Amino acid sequence: MHRGSMTTSATWKVGRLAESSGLTVRTLHHWDTIGLLRPSQRTPGGHREYTEDDLVRLYQVLALRSLGLALDSIAACLDAGIDPLRLVRDHLAGVEASIEALGVLRERLVRLGEELSGDEAPAATALLDALRAIGGTGPEGERTLGCHLEADEIEVLRTRAAALGPATHYLLEVEWPGLYRRAERHRAAGTPATDQAVRRLVARMDELSALFTGGDAGISAGVRAAWHDDPAAMSADPDAPADDWRDLAEYLDRARHGSA
């Protein structure tokens, strides 16, 4: 405890915080070293002391880690001022939107099934509704993927993304874009593709890719080919410069294969 002129504020030594949070002292030391969770105070003898503000950050770190984010991505999110509560609410909104979309799909498929089970052929409008609901005329990115992947391969991506649950939003919209932005900064700065920092970024990208592809090399190659052919469609950014994306893709491939 440290006593101020008017108030008393509590602090926690690393051992006590580790015990209270279910972490290890070694983990807290590591998080201090990498800048993820640095104690705000030190004793005269140099021992770590964590304040209530540090506990708030610890809670946020654990909340984001539970969603599958890598430590460096968690640090980037928190340092950028992203509120984990807002992210959780965004996830909830996305889940509710998915539930609503599935409800629409169910109604259309029930109607189509009823027509198919009758004596008459289903109306063209019912077929088109069902196709739209399952993505048969989906966004540009999905059509681009369809040029490089079979239907069953695209279904693998959808199924595995659904299995990841709430983490999907963060992985696709927070961590993955962040990794690409950092890699592009290295490329633009002239960092060799063989640099360990670049290779670590690529390794994490490949880990994320495996989460969605199940480690299927053919699906991974198809996704990369789709990005190479039409980065604007795949990134949902009509202004995405194709040459920059392709230069970055080649840079990342050199990092994967250890060539300058």
Side-chain angles (χ1 to χ4, degrees):
M1 305 276 286
H2 290 289
R3 197 171 297 276
S5 58
M6 295 293 293
T7 60
T8 300
S9 60
T11 61
W12 289 261
K13 296 257 188 348
V14 66
R16 180 184 168 202
L17 183 59
E19 181 179 356
S20 300
S21 63
L23 299 169
T24 65
V25 170
R26 181 178 180 182
T27 293
L28 291 174
H29 284 177
H30 175 60
W31 288 1
D32 181 10
T33 300
I34 65 176
L36 179 62
L37 180 68
R38 287 181 172 151
S40 296
Q41 298 180 184
R42 295 268 181 174
T43 67
H47 297 292
R48 296 170 175 85
E49 283 192 329
Y50 295 85
T51 65
E52 292 182 0
D53 286 343
D54 297 329
L55 262 64
V56 171
R57 184 174 174 97
L58 173 59
Y59 174 80
Q60 294 173 335
V61 168
L62 295 177
L64 292 177
R65 191 177 68 161
S66 72
L67 294 170
L69 268 69
L71 295 181
D72 56 351
S73 295
I74 292 173
C77 286
L78 296 181
D79 293 343
I82 295 176
D83 179 8
L85 177 58
R86 179 181 64 80
L87 294 178
V88 170
R89 286 173 176 164
D90 287 347
H91 270 245
L92 178 59
V95 169
E96 290 175 342
S98 297
I99 292 172
E100 182 179 355
L102 286 173
V104 171
L105 173 59
R106 180 183 181 280
E107 291 176 3
R108 290 173 178 173
L109 291 177
V110 166
R111 185 165 63 252
L112 180 59
E114 290 172 348
E115 295 191 19
L116 286 170
S117 64
D119 294 333
E120 296 182 3
T125 53
L127 287 170
L128 290 173
D129 281 348
L131 285 171
R132 291 190 186 97
I134 62 175
T137 56
E140 291 294 331
E142 193 155 315
R143 286 199 286 271
T144 301
L145 274 176
C147 296
H148 299 277
L149 296 175
E150 299 295 333
D152 59 333
E153 293 176 320
I154 292 177
E155 188 59 30
V156 168
L157 295 176
R158 288 175 175 160
T159 300
R160 293 188 67 86
L164 289 171
T168 302
H169 171 82
Y170 291 95
L171 296 175
L172 290 179
E173 298 189 28
V174 177
E175 181 170 8
W176 217 327
L179 292 170
Y180 272 97
R181 284 193 295 269
R182 289 161 61 192
E184 173 58 18
R185 285 197 294 269
H186 279 295
R187 185 193 71 82
T191 306
T194 52
D195 187 274
Q196 285 302 309
V198 180
R199 299 193 70 180
R200 282 194 296 269
L201 290 175
V202 170
R204 179 56 183 165
M205 290 176 187
D206 290 345
E207 286 178 1
L208 294 181
S209 175
L211 287 176
F212 292 94
T213 66
D216 187 304
I219 297 178
S220 296
V223 172
R224 285 199 294 271
W227 274 93
H228 184 275
D229 281 0
D230 197 344
M234 293 297 294
S235 64
D237 178 4
D239 297 323
D243 290 343
D244 287 354
W245 279 102
R246 289 164 187 159
D247 288 346
L248 178 58
E250 293 172 1
Y251 178 73
L252 296 176
D253 279 340
R254 293 200 302 274
R256 283 187 182 91
H257 301 121
S259 59

